[in-house]
Amino acid sequence: MEGLHTGLAILSDGAILLFEYTGVGVIIFSGVLGIIGCVRRDPMTRLRLAKGMALGLEFKLGSEILRTVVVREFTEILLVGAIILLRAALTLLIHWEIKNEEQAAEEKPGKL
């Protein structure tokens, strides 16, 4: 039984690292593209940047959810739960911003 728990911990830790690195990579890539778009004065920069940030945060949120699998103490559960709530709130705010930017882009089709 201990072997199964060890295997689960190893698999979870690997997946957590993969999701964390992927999320950070997506956020960095989106940020670099956002800087380039800002320099070029592309009107769609904010929308693209928000979508990239939202995708990166989704990966980070996935890693936090997986982290709950290997938690052993109640204080760790509270900490992970607080992180999940904060990241979920950020994701909701970014999705709200995306919705507003898309509506603004539809209202001004000549500005694209």
Side-chain angles (χ1 to χ4, degrees):
M1 193 63 151
E2 186 64 32
L4 290 175
H5 181 61
T6 303
L8 178 64
I10 291 170
L11 181 63
S12 297
D13 287 342
I16 288 168
L17 285 174
L18 177 66
F19 288 164
E20 288 279 334
Y21 279 113
T22 303
V24 169
V26 168
I27 291 171
I28 290 171
F29 183 74
S30 298
V32 169
L33 290 180
I35 292 169
I36 293 169
C38 186
V39 169
R40 292 182 179 172
R41 299 186 189 275
D42 182 3
M44 296 301 291
T45 299
R46 287 183 59 148
L47 181 60
R48 289 186 189 119
L49 184 59
K51 285 183 177 182
M53 296 292 173
L55 180 60
L57 279 173
E58 294 291 337
F59 279 107
K60 302 281 284 167
L61 186 60
S63 72
E64 293 301 331
I65 291 170
L66 276 176
R67 201 175 306 272
T68 62
V69 171
V70 293
V71 169
R72 294 204 178 247
E73 296 180 13
F74 187 71
T75 55
E76 291 179 17
I77 291 173
L78 290 176
L79 181 63
V80 170
I83 291 170
I84 288 172
L85 287 175
L86 287 173
R87 289 197 177 154
L90 281 171
T91 302
L92 287 173
L93 287 171
I94 290 173
H95 282 292
W96 177 75
E97 179 71 21
I98 290 170
K99 182 180 173 184
N100 287 340
E101 287 293 323
E102 287 176 339
Q103 287 176 350
E106 287 175 3
E107 291 172 2
K108 300 176 187 176
K111 296 269 184 168
L112 298 177

